[in-house]
Structure formats: C-alpha cells, structure tokens
Amino acid sequence: MATLKFLSFLILQLFLIVNNCEGVEVGFYKKTCPNVEAIVKETTKHYISIAPTLAAPLLRMHFHDCFVRGCDGSVLLNSTKGNKAEKDAIPNQSLRGFQVIDAAKSALEKKCPGIVSCSDILALAARDAVSLINGPTWSVPLGRRDGRVSILSEASKNLPTPFDNFTTLKTTFGALGLNVKDLVVLSGGHTIGMSHCFSFSSRLYNFTGKGDMDPNMDQNYINHMKIKCRPADVTTIVEMDPGSFKSFDTDYYTMVSKRRGLFASDAALLTDTQTKHYVLSQLNPHGSTFFKDFGVEVGFYKQTCPNVEAIVKETTKHYISIAPTLAAPLLRMHFHDCFVRGCDGSVLLNSTKGNKAERDAIPNQSLRGFQVIDAAKSALEKECPGIVSCSDILALAARDAVSLINGPTWSVPLGRRDGRVSILSEASKNLPTPFDNFTTLKTTFGALGLNVKDLVVLSGGHTIGMSHCFSFSSRLYNFTGKGDIDPNMDQNYINRLKIKCKPGDVTTIVEMDPGSFKSFDTDYYTMVSKRRGLFASDAALLTDTQTKHYVLSQLNQHGSTFFKDFGESMLKMGQIGVLTGKAGEIRKHCAFRN
C-alpha cells in the first residue's frame, strides 16, 4: 500500500511539473460547477463496472497527455484535414477510453456548460479509474484549460517507449523535471493493463537483428511468451502483470526482479543501481525502506482529522495578520527543517541538557514563528489528539504563510512523522549558507535530490524577509581578506548598504528585496540581475548559464513562471527524507520528544 500511495503522489507531481499551475487548485469549480468530481466519478464508475480493463488505458492516456505539451488535453483532439494529431501517433493508437471522457464532458455540459475543461476531466477520470480497481486515490488540482495544438510528431518524439534503455528513459523523464525515483515508481503503472506482442517481440525473436533473444529476459519466460506471440504478430495482446493485470498492486516489481518485465524499458530498471535497489526493496511489502519514501499523500488525515488544513490555515492567518513579516521565517523554517534529516520537524525540537539541537545552530538562531506552529499544534491536539505531526503542521504553515502574502499555493502531501533526533552540528554542516558559491550550492541541493532549477527557484524565496548585516558584510568591506569589496556586487548598491551596515555590525537587519520584502513577487530576480542580491549565494546564480538564464527569464512579469515553478519545487522539497509508517513519532508538543 505504501507504494500505491507514493505513486498517487507522483501522479500529482507529474501534473504539477508539466502543467502551468497558476490558478490551479483543489476545489477550483466549487462555485461554478460544484458537482464536477461526482459527475466524472459516476461516469467513470459506469464504464469501469462494464470493462475494468479500461482503467489502465485511462491512466496511460493521462500520462501520454502530460508528456506532450503538458496536461492540456491535446491527446484528446482528433486529426484534421490539415494536421495529424497526437491521437494518431503510433504510441497512442492503442489508447482506449475516449468514450469515458466524451460521456463525462457531455454530462458536464448539461450541468454547467462551458465551464469544465477536457484536460481536467481526463485527470479526474484517470484518478477515479485507478481508485475503482482498488488502487490509490489522490486530490486533483483543477483549473486547467485545454490546449489548441496537437501534433503527431511531438507524441512520437517525446513519449517514453517500451524499447527505451535506461539512459533514454532518464533523459525523457528528466526533461520534465522528473528524477530517477519518479521514473521507477511511475513505471509501476505497468501493474495494470495489456500490451500488444509487437511492443516486445524483438526481445523474443530478433533482439540485435541476428535472430537472437534478449539475454536480459528470463529464458523460461521467453519460451512461455513465444507460445502466445508468434513472429510478426501485430494483433495479439497479453497481460503486462500476469495474474493480476486488473488489480493495482506491487506485483510488477516482482516480475521485473525475476527478469520477466515485458518491455526493454522494464528490464532497464535493473541496469541502474538506484532503480534496481528500488525494485528489490519492493519485494517485501513490510520492508522498512518504505517508511522513508512512501505513504505521504494529499488527504492523509481525511478520516482521522478532516479539519487539519483549515485549522493550520486559520492559525497562520491570525499571526500573519498581526505580523506579515512572519511569512519569511516560517518559509525559511520549513527549508531549514527539510535540509537537515529531511522534513521531519527536527528543527522544532529544543536543546536538552545532554544535546544541542538544530534550533540552536547559528543559521537557525534568527528563525522566528515557532509560536505559530505551537498554536496550531495546540488547536489540533484539542480537535484530534495524537494524530497530526509537527512536521506536517510546519509544511502547511509555510505554504499558507506564502499564500497569505499574495504568493503561490501548492498541494501539500501529508503523513509525515516527527523525527526524534536533532543535532546542532548537522544543521551547521548541511544547510546552504549565504556565502556559498555555485558549485557548493549545486552539491548541497543535489545531495537531496534537488536539481539546478530547484536551486534557482527556491532561491527566489529571498523575495521576502530580512537579513542581518553580518550575512553579507564581507562583500562590503573585506571580500578576499584584503579590505576589498565584492566586484560581483553593484558599486552603487554597496555604497547604500555601507550606510546601513557598519563594519562589525551584528544587530542591524535590512530588507533582502528592498521595497517589496513583505510581498511575494518576482522582484528578487530583478535585484539579482542588477547585481544587487545581498548574498554571495545570490550572485552565484549569475555564474552558471542555466541559472542566469532563469533569472533573466523572470524579468518580464507577464512571462514569468516563478509562481508555478516555486510550487513545484516546494512540493518536491517537502518529500525529502520524510518519516512514515512506524518511523518517528507524533509529538504531543513540537519542541519536545514524547
């Protein structure tokens, strides 16, 4: 079950990564078409009850839509006289279930005409289809609009194929911001559905063009498959996960581990150390490796504490209304938590007589907002005692704080448990610092599975908040230890900052994004582009081609992708090293272990 929950998260993440998320949210049609989810689910249920095998092609249809031009419903468009559409590309010719989408659209047009997009219907139907065959469920952010362009050649070029090796798969997924773990987990979708023999027959009869078999496929399984699939067979279909192809489960990984995955792309998972380890770790459903990686989902507390998000938001709103400047430290607190031991709430723990905790490390001594977390925890303990973790509260409060100052919002998968360990030295060692150069930043972020884009996007969090002079004063007075200034900082800006920050000043604080430090916007990138970022780590973004390009691309506010990108990177960061299952605990008080 842990695997299924993580797959549900990844499907949500896939949408967030490849789709424009501005204005997209759970409950988008609450006022304009409140029954949208019920109507789509009822329609999907009707078709799945008649043909349960439709679940796999509906899920696959959603994947194929998202991998080409994003989740915009372009896979649903028919070809015209002047254009061959994605729908007619060879990888999509085996898709089924279009009638489900059409029927749901027809029902919705009667109920609320011109309101619900086809791309939203497809996303909901894919979710409901999986759920209806005892698979996971997940919240679906809505508000997509349908694309107007659908080109056959783009589907042929951009979709992963069953013939891909690991390098090709990694490149295809990476182009969408999906990492190796995403690749191996989303491949688990092959636990349901059927495939035509021609998708793998070369492995049986002519693997290298010399009439040979694929040595990476079990010989006995090859013999078994040869009985079903004759050479040049283009009509026969077989089960991808024999014996349970109608049931969403973890048996796919058992098949892959036995070298019985149908496709070359399945076998490829055993050629990489990380994906092979993941495949093997799934063979014991009670394995402890699940606790770190799985079980986090949107709606985790739906039954046990249904008002959790509302309570945290109301608490955060109360404090932000009194002190809007708390938004920045709450966001920073979540960052600092996730970068040390993962998002486990360890930054919230007080030091004890025998241990100095992360909270007392120098980078964390300027954190504020602990009272917000404590107040939310107190309210939740009254509502549903012993249920909600402090780490989940922190993740929600950071999201809500940003949203409350006109920043983006994002879905927060829940189910983290609180860590029992908090060590000052680990915070001092693992947190990015304002003095870091690009190489150091890339290494620090990369160690957590975050890429260069995440680095430059999450740096945009400096659009809000304040900083002590000592975090950047060396750039003003003693950059290389020779009493010099940083040549990478605008000279006029240095002169202005010297008025505020005198040598040796350890108390004065200044705005990181002057003039709009209380408002979440794109001005940070304007400051960086003008060489006016406060920190050496800000200036470092102009020393790398990719991050410099991103900085400059955000200067046109109408073309800015920052809000969308920030939500995606926060969603990704929030999954670092989470504790689930029997790991960790649910603290009664966030500052103390139970």
Side-chain angles (χ1 to χ4, degrees), residues 343-361:
C343 310
D344 67 346
S346 54
V347 74
L348 303 170
L349 286 169
N350 284 342
S351 294
T352 62
K353 188 175 181 180
N355 177 66
K356 286 288 187 181
E358 296 170 29
R359 192 165 171 171
D360 288 329

Side-chain angles (χ1 to χ4, degrees), residues 163-218:
F163 314 107
D164 288 344
N165 59 26
F166 180 77
T167 301
T168 303
L169 288 168
K170 185 177 178 181
T171 300
T172 303
F173 277 69
L176 297 177
L178 298 167
N179 60 28
V180 170
K181 185 186 285 186
D182 302 331
L183 189 170
V184 67
V185 176
L186 288 174
S187 295
H190 291 170
T191 187
I192 54 174
M194 311 281 283
S195 173
H196 283 85
C197 289
F198 64 74
S199 296
F200 59 90
S201 61
S202 64
R203 303 186 73 199
L204 311 180
Y205 296 106
N206 196 28
F207 187 58
T208 65
K210 300 177 181 180
D212 53 343
M213 299 178 293
D214 185 350
N216 297 312
M217 196 177 209
D218 176 69

Side-chain angles (χ1 to χ4, degrees), residues 10-35:
L10 280 179
I11 294 170
L12 171 64
Q13 187 181 34
L14 172 65
F15 157 69
L16 291 171
I17 288 173
V18 300
N19 199 67
N20 187 332
C21 294
E22 283 192 81
V24 181
E25 58 182 297
V26 175
F28 180 86
Y29 299 108
K30 187 176 182 180
K31 294 182 179 179
T32 56
C33 194
N35 295 323

Side-chain angles (χ1 to χ4, degrees), residues 175-355:
L176 297 177
L178 298 167
N179 60 28
V180 170
K181 185 186 285 186
D182 302 331
L183 189 170
V184 67
V185 176
L186 288 174
S187 295
H190 291 170
T191 187
I192 54 174
M194 311 281 283
S195 173
H196 283 85
C197 289
F198 64 74
S199 296
F200 59 90
S201 61
S202 64
R203 303 186 73 199
L204 311 180
Y205 296 106
N206 196 28
F207 187 58
T208 65
K210 300 177 181 180
D212 53 343
M213 299 178 293
D214 185 350
N216 297 312
M217 196 177 209
D218 176 69
Q219 177 70 60
N220 292 330
Y221 198 54
I222 287 178
N223 296 337
H224 175 72
M225 296 310 300
K226 281 184 172 181
I227 297 171
K228 298 184 177 184
C229 298
R230 299 301 179 183
D233 185 336
V234 295
T235 56
T236 303
I237 57 174
V238 298
E239 302 170 8
M240 289 196 287
D241 185 0
S244 67
F245 76 105
K246 296 180 183 179
S247 176
F248 209 100
D249 54 35
T250 60
D251 287 351
Y252 165 78
Y253 295 106
T254 302
M255 294 296 291
V256 172
S257 72
K258 293 180 177 179
R259 300 191 301 128
R260 294 187 172 191
L262 276 189
F263 309 129
S265 60
D266 296 327
L269 301 181
L270 297 179
T271 65
D272 173 74
T273 303
Q274 184 178 349
T275 53
K276 181 178 181 179
H277 178 269
Y278 178 82
V279 168
L280 298 179
S281 74
Q282 309 315 304
L283 304 187
N284 177 5
H286 303 293
S288 60
T289 56
F290 290 149
F291 297 157
K292 174 183 176 184
D293 299 323
F294 306 124
V296 179
E297 59 177 316
V298 176
F300 181 85
Y301 298 109
K302 187 175 181 179
Q303 302 295 329
T304 56
C305 194
N307 295 321
V308 56
E309 295 206 33
I311 290 171
V312 175
K313 187 170 186 177
E314 192 57 38
T315 304
T316 308
K317 184 177 180 180
H318 168 72
Y319 281 91
I320 294 295
S321 68
I322 299 170
T325 57
L326 273 178
L330 281 169
L331 177 62
R332 186 164 164 251
M333 191 188 298
H334 183 37
F335 278 22
H336 284 210
D337 183 41
C338 293
F339 269 77
V340 183
R341 292 188 165 266
C343 310
D344 67 346
S346 54
V347 74
L348 303 170
L349 286 169
N350 284 342
S351 294
T352 62
K353 188 175 181 180
N355 177 66

Side-chain angles (χ1 to χ4, degrees), residues 328 331 335 402 405 407-408 445 452-465 512-513 516-517 519-528 535 537-538 541 550-551 554 562-563 565-566 569-570:
L331 177 62
F335 278 22
V402 168
I405 58 168
F445 277 68
V452 170
K453 184 177 181 182
D454 298 323
L455 190 169
V456 65
V457 171
L458 292 175
S459 295
H462 290 170
T463 188
I464 53 174
M512 289 196 285
D513 185 1
S516 66
F517 75 105
S519 177
F520 204 99
D521 53 36
T522 60
D523 287 353
Y524 164 77
Y525 294 108
T526 301
M527 294 294 292
V528 171
F535 309 129
S537 59
D538 296 327
L541 300 181
Y550 186 87
V551 168
Q554 304 310 307
F562 175 49
F563 275 32
D565 297 336
F566 192 78
S569 291
M570 287 299 295

Side-chain angles (χ1 to χ4, degrees), residues 50-126:
I50 298 171
T53 56
L54 273 177
L58 281 169
L59 177 62
R60 185 165 166 251
M61 190 189 298
H62 183 39
F63 280 12
H64 283 213
D65 184 38
C66 293
F67 268 82
V68 183
R69 290 187 169 265
C71 310
D72 66 345
S74 54
V75 75
L76 303 171
L77 286 169
N78 286 340
S79 293
T80 62
K81 187 176 181 180
N83 178 65
K84 286 288 187 182
E86 295 171 32
K87 200 171 185 175
D88 288 329
I90 290 175
N92 289 331
Q93 288 177 10
S94 59
L95 290 180
R96 297 183 298 122
F98 292 101
Q99 72 274 28
V100 182
I101 311 304
D102 292 340
K105 179 62 173 174
S106 179
L108 286 164
E109 284 300 302
K110 292 177 182 177
K111 192 74 173 179
C112 34
I115 299 297
V116 183
S117 67
C118 298
S119 43
D120 274 345
I121 294 170
L122 176 53
L124 288 169

